[in-house]
Amino acid sequence: MTEDARWLDETEARAWLGYRRMFLLLNREVARDLAQECGLSEADYDVLSNLSGAPGASIRLTTLAAHLKWSKSRLSHQLTRMQQRGLISRQEHPSDGRGAVIVLTGEGLRTIEEAAPGHVASVRRHFIDLLTPRELAAFGDIAWTVVDRLDEAARETS
């Protein structure tokens, strides 16, 4: 143990431990709802929702991996499983034969369109509707402050 560690005070510890507990419980509940209601994993939903929101319902594999903060290997394994189920297809990039483009199939689009209303209802039930508008605005500000700083730090180290 180092003597110069900046230990968390009571307020800091409450915030940190509350966040950790909330993260685990919230993810568990939303993931359970997603699996029960439409048979999708969180990873499936993350990929499908990103593809459905991309221009042309397609995105480069490297861009998707960076956006999801996943390794290319993890994403590749996930995409293989989704491709076997007919949710996505892989194509060569039209101008760069070395790069793959991930494309949402008709089945993938139907799946995300059917899953989205239940997923949003779950997010509302377990998170959004539990907070006041003021708390929600503060939470958003806090979350994006942390995300922006961590993204900046990651860019500086790469």
Side-chain angles (χ1 to χ4, degrees):
M1 229 185 277
T2 63
E3 290 183 26
D4 36 322
R6 286 187 55 221
W7 299 108
L8 302 181
D9 65 26
E10 190 174 324
T11 301
E12 293 165 337
R14 182 177 184 272
W16 175 247
L17 295 174
Y19 161 75
R20 291 292 300 155
R21 188 77 176 143
M22 179 196 70
F23 175 82
L24 295 170
L25 292 171
L26 183 58
N27 280 354
R28 182 188 72 193
E29 293 301 313
V30 172
R32 185 180 66 202
D33 288 349
L34 196 56
Q36 287 176 348
E37 292 173 15
C38 55
L40 292 176
S41 68
E42 284 181 286
D44 292 334
Y45 193 88
D46 288 343
V47 170
L48 292 174
S49 63
N50 275 276
L51 284 171
S52 69
S58 66
I59 193 168
R60 285 187 75 124
L61 186 140
T62 53
T63 303
L64 183 57
H67 182 76
L68 293 172
K69 308 292 188 216
W70 292 1
S71 69
K72 285 190 277 185
S73 174
R74 176 184 178 193
L75 180 57
S76 183
H77 289 294
Q78 176 66 33
L79 294 174
T80 296
R81 291 187 295 273
M82 294 177 76
Q83 190 171 12
Q84 290 169 346
R85 291 166 37 219
L87 300 173
I88 60 102
S89 67
R90 296 183 209 215
Q91 300 174 0
E92 269 190 27
H93 191 277
S95 63
D96 179 4
R98 297 171 298 156
V101 175
I102 310 309
V103 180
L104 187 64
T105 64
E107 178 66 15
L109 180 59
R110 184 192 63 73
T111 300
I112 192 68
E113 287 175 343
E114 288 178 4
H119 180 65
V120 170
S122 177
V123 170
R124 285 195 168 283
R125 182 173 55 257
H126 298 300
F127 180 64
I128 301 297
D129 293 344
L130 303 178
L131 303 175
T132 67
R134 185 177 175 157
E135 290 169 331
L136 198 54
F139 189 91
D141 290 344
I142 292 164
W144 285 104
T145 294
V146 173
V147 167
D148 291 344
R149 289 186 182 157
L150 292 174
D151 278 346
E152 183 180 320
R155 281 190 301 275
E156 290 172 2
T157 60
S158 21

